[in-house]
Amino acid sequence: MNKKKLLNSSDLYVGLVFVLVFLLLVWQISTITVKESRIFPSIAASVVGLSGIFLLIKGLRHTDEKAQKLIIGGKQWLSFLVLFLGYLAYSRLGFYVTLLIVVFCVSLVNEFPLNKKKIVSSLIYSLIVTVFCFVCFYLILGLYTPSGILI
């Protein structure tokens, strides 16, 4: 594969991002003081890390002429901004409130252009995800999530 095709491979870039996210998750997991609360994040980090390694290998070995080019548009940058702001708000607002806000905002970004029906469906989806996480983490697994000012 020539250098130009390699630099245009979306798999390579996405794999690099996954590996960086994996490293960030490992660092974040090391700050969790309750050992039982590290189980799910460790599994998630492992999946992200392995996916990143496989994508890197695929991106480096990909010789197909139809390799997808990496295109990052406004929606993607806005989603990254929402995730970053969610990360900053996490310690103040707590896990569930931050999850609700981030899922809602990312849903709105993906549903753009907006109308009343899309806003309501994004809100309902965000509430379902948040309740599902509460049931799984707190009620079923008995794990405490970081709390903040609101919850």
Side-chain angles (χ1 to χ4, degrees), residues 40 89-101 129-130 133-134 137 144-148 151:
F40 178 75
Y90 177 68
S91 61
R92 295 185 192 267
L93 298 179
F95 177 76
Y96 296 112
V97 174
T98 304
L99 177 66
L100 178 70
I101 293 169
V129 168
T130 304
C133 287
F134 176 77
F137 292 140
Y144 292 97
T145 57
S147 59
I151 294 179

Side-chain angles (χ1 to χ4, degrees), residues 6-71:
L6 180 65
L7 294 177
N8 285 330
S9 173
S10 63
D11 290 333
L12 182 70
Y13 289 112
V14 173
L16 283 172
V17 170
F18 273 37
V19 169
L20 291 174
V21 169
F22 166 74
L23 294 173
L24 179 68
L25 286 173
V26 168
W27 174 69
Q28 286 289 312
I29 291 167
S30 69
T31 63
I32 298 174
T33 56
V34 180
K35 269 191 174 178
E36 291 81 17
S37 296
R38 292 182 184 180
I39 296 170
F40 178 75
S42 297
I43 293 170
S46 300
V47 170
V48 170
L50 288 173
S51 299
I53 290 169
F54 288 131
L55 283 170
L56 278 174
I57 292 169
K58 182 180 174 190
L60 291 171
R61 295 181 61 188
H62 198 53
T63 58
D64 189 358
E65 289 291 326
K66 297 178 181 177
Q68 284 188 331
K69 291 185 177 181
L70 180 65
I71 301 172

Side-chain angles (χ1 to χ4, degrees), residues 5 12 16 19 24 41 49 54 84 103 107 114 118 122 132 142:
K5 285 183 188 175
L12 182 70
L16 283 172
V19 169
L24 179 68
F54 288 131
F84 180 72
V103 171
S107 297
L114 299 174
K118 289 180 180 179
S122 292
F132 179 76

